[in-house]
Amino acid sequence: MPKTSERTRKFGESVIRGMTRLANECGAINLSQGFPDFDPPEAVLRAAERAAREGPHQYAVTWGAPNFRAALARKQSRFMQLPLDPDENIVVTCGSTEAMMVAMMTACNPGDRVVIFSPFYENYAADAILCGAEPIHVTLHPPDFRFDPGELRRAFEQRPQALVLCNPSNPSGKVFTRDELLGIASLAEEFDTFVLTDEVYEHIVYAPHEHTYFASLPGMSERTLSCSSLSKTYSMTGWRLGYVIASSSIINEARKVHDFLTVGAAAPLQQAAVTALELPDSYYKELQALYTEKRATFLQYLDAAGLKYTEPEGAYYVMVDISEFGWKSDAAFCEWLAREVGVAAVPGSSFFHEQVNRLIRLHFAKRSETLSAAGDRLLKVRNKVEQASYAARSEAAKALT
Ligand SMILES: Cc1ncc(COP(=O)(O)O)c(C=O)c1O
């Protein structure tokens, strides 16, 4: 029998998606994989009904339907404060997941180095491996997830081709400050490096923190491939609509990568999503208020349960410190939590390059009923931990391996 490729053996299946399967198997409330249990805005649903009836049902233009790109350019020019030409600066992809893969394949050659902050969203390491690129990890130190500028400079001294910037950041909830971003920008300039941003949480940021688009910093639009999607902003993770925004010379190359990877994103959904992109600015304010309230509700439960955590500045995840419970592995703890407490979380170690296994990630993009049901279960964690057998605490996770 021929053997499958070397590259497929260099990474495992997604731990996040594995936790969703475990949650489904044992009926746990799924606070692992980050998707809302509520629907996109009503007007967008109506537009989807119309698109189902009236089309289009055949391929859209490969790099995005013209009306979708026009609406996206209008919206993003406003928020990013950059002039964007829908025909020059945008390629529409199947979610930010494809956008990041396209960005990395466009920017990097096999053997190139890519700086990735750790903890990181698990796709980036797989993206780098699929491109034949080699990650250089720079630690975001818990609990406040700051990086050491000296460590970052040393990473740049290894002459990376690109840096991946997830901002606001999953899983840490960090929102990079303007000063931090200016520091990264000056290194990117000095060492002539691309910056690949993943900004899917651009509209989920908690005051007083503010999102700064990296491409909007002086001189950075030429070397930045800004990736994002509609998944989180409009609660439509299943629609698989994302995009890369960059200078026209970069987009010319990115279009080819995208074309041969997927041909294009779903045509009727692009049509319907124009309605989402045309929502007034009040929509984004309401989204911010909605998530600010969800964060407050969920953190109150964590406080009442006596759990230690880092308050997220953006996105909808919270990293909870489980070190005091004495579990041997965070993966085993998450399996126990799903089976015995009925709440699914993601073991923090799946996001870290370093040996960190004392954190777990929970998310709060859920309806109030779901959050209070999960919160009520979490209130019992301490009691249940005390009852848990020594064997449970020292066992390695079965379901995730
Ligand atoms: C940082 C980050 N990037 C990308 C994605 C996936 O986005 P999309 O649905 O647009 O592919 C997620 C999903 O959780 C994410 O957290």
Side-chain angles (χ1 to χ4, degrees):
M1 272 298 274
K3 274 191 177 162
T4 53
S5 75
E6 289 289 324
R7 74 173 76 81
T8 60
R9 270 170 256 141
K10 290 191 184 149
F11 54 91
E13 282 190 19
S14 154
V15 176
I16 302 178
R17 268 79 85 191
M19 278 312 305
T20 287
R21 287 194 292 276
L22 177 64
N24 292 341
E25 178 200 317
C26 62
I29 298 173
N30 189 2
L31 302 189
S32 58
Q33 193 174 2
F35 59 87
D37 63 351
F38 43 90
D39 287 334
E42 185 55 36
V44 181
L45 295 180
R46 281 198 300 272
E49 281 166 17
R50 271 197 309 280
R53 284 271 152 232
E54 295 166 18
H57 292 295
Q58 312 309 328
Y59 300 124
V61 174
T62 298
W63 39 86
N67 59 343
F68 183 92
R69 273 183 287 124
L72 181 65
R74 279 195 298 276
K75 185 222 153 203
Q76 290 306 112
S77 303
R78 203 160 76 240
F79 283 101
M80 298 174 80
Q81 307 225 306
L82 282 175
L84 297 175
D85 181 332
D87 296 325
E88 300 276 325
N89 301 125
I90 293 175
V91 53
V92 178
T93 58
C94 300
S96 181
T97 303
E98 190 212 327
M100 286 301 288
M101 190 74 227
V102 165
M104 214 179 273
M105 288 192 122
T106 302
C108 298
N109 285 309
D112 280 343
R113 298 190 169 112
V114 178
V115 178
I116 300 178
F117 288 105
S118 166
F120 57 92
Y121 176 58
E122 60 178 1
N123 283 31
Y124 308 148
D127 290 350
I129 291 166
L130 288 170
C131 287
E134 192 192 320
I136 308 171
H137 294 284
V138 172
T139 311
L140 295 172
H141 297 275
D144 56 4
F145 298 104
R146 288 184 184 277
F147 61 88
D148 168 1
E151 192 186 338
L152 186 62
R153 169 164 275 281
R154 286 192 293 283
F156 270 94
E157 282 166 356
Q158 294 177 54
R159 302 270 161 194
Q161 175 74 359
L163 171 138
V164 173
L165 179 72
C166 181
N167 185 33
S169 196
N170 172 11
S172 64
K174 177 184 175 68
V175 173
F176 285 74
T177 63
R178 193 177 169 83
D179 278 353
E180 285 175 324
L181 295 175
L182 285 170
I184 296 170
S186 117
L187 288 167
E189 192 136 49
E190 182 182 339
F191 292 94
D192 199 17
T193 307
F194 284 118
V195 175
L196 321 178
T197 71
D198 183 349
E199 293 171 286
V200 290
Y201 301 103
E202 63 200 289
H203 294 293
I204 305 177
V205 180
Y206 307 106
H209 305 282
E210 279 179 7
H211 179 61
T212 304
Y213 290 92
F214 193 80
S216 73
L217 297 176
M220 286 302 111
S221 65
E222 288 304 307
R223 62 176 68 251
T224 305
L225 288 80
S226 305
C227 301
S228 189
S229 85
L230 282 65
S231 288
K232 316 288 176 173
T233 303
Y234 306 106
S235 312
M236 47 169 71
T237 60
W239 287 40
R240 315 305 306 124
L241 294 174
Y243 50 89
V244 184
I245 288 178
S247 67
S248 59
S249 59
I250 294 175
I251 287 297
N252 275 341
E253 306 307 313
R255 281 176 170 181
K256 292 185 282 183
V257 179
H258 158 73
D259 189 0
F260 288 108
L261 277 177
T262 64
V263 176
L269 297 180
Q270 289 188 58
Q271 173 65 35
V274 169
T275 302
L277 294 168
E278 288 178 340
L279 287 170
D281 283 359
S282 56
Y283 173 77
Y284 305 96
K285 290 211 173 74
E286 283 160 22
L287 185 79
Q288 198 106 323
L290 178 80
Y291 276 109
T292 300
E293 195 186 310
K294 290 191 183 303
R295 182 183 72 149
T297 305
F298 195 60
L299 297 187
Q300 269 166 19
Y301 272 109
L302 297 184
D303 286 334
L307 295 169
K308 292 197 193 103
Y309 58 86
T310 302
E311 194 171 295
E313 300 166 349
Y316 46 53
Y317 305 95
V318 54
M319 295 292 262
V320 173
D321 190 331
I322 55 157
S323 44
E324 62 174 314
F325 297 139
W327 240 264
K328 216 168 181 185
S329 94
D330 55 353
F333 182 86
C334 284
E335 187 177 349
W336 171 85
L337 192 73
R339 292 194 191 283
E340 303 299 325
V341 180
V343 176
V346 185
S349 54
S350 64
F351 303 107
F352 276 94
H353 169 68
E354 302 79 4
Q355 284 298 314
V356 176
N357 65 1
R358 61 187 164 81
L359 301 172
I360 63 168
R361 191 198 76 177
L362 292 158
H363 87 93
F364 49 85
K366 295 287 180 228
R367 284 175 290 156
S368 313
E369 310 87 273
T370 316
L371 280 185
S372 41
D376 287 341
R377 292 181 186 191
L378 289 172
L379 291 176
K380 299 186 189 127
V381 162
R382 270 177 185 283
N383 277 346
K384 293 215 174 203
V385 163
E386 276 158 28
Q387 291 156 15
S389 64
Y390 175 77
R393 290 180 205 205
S394 48
E395 217 174 308
K398 288 190 212 99
L400 303 175
T401 50

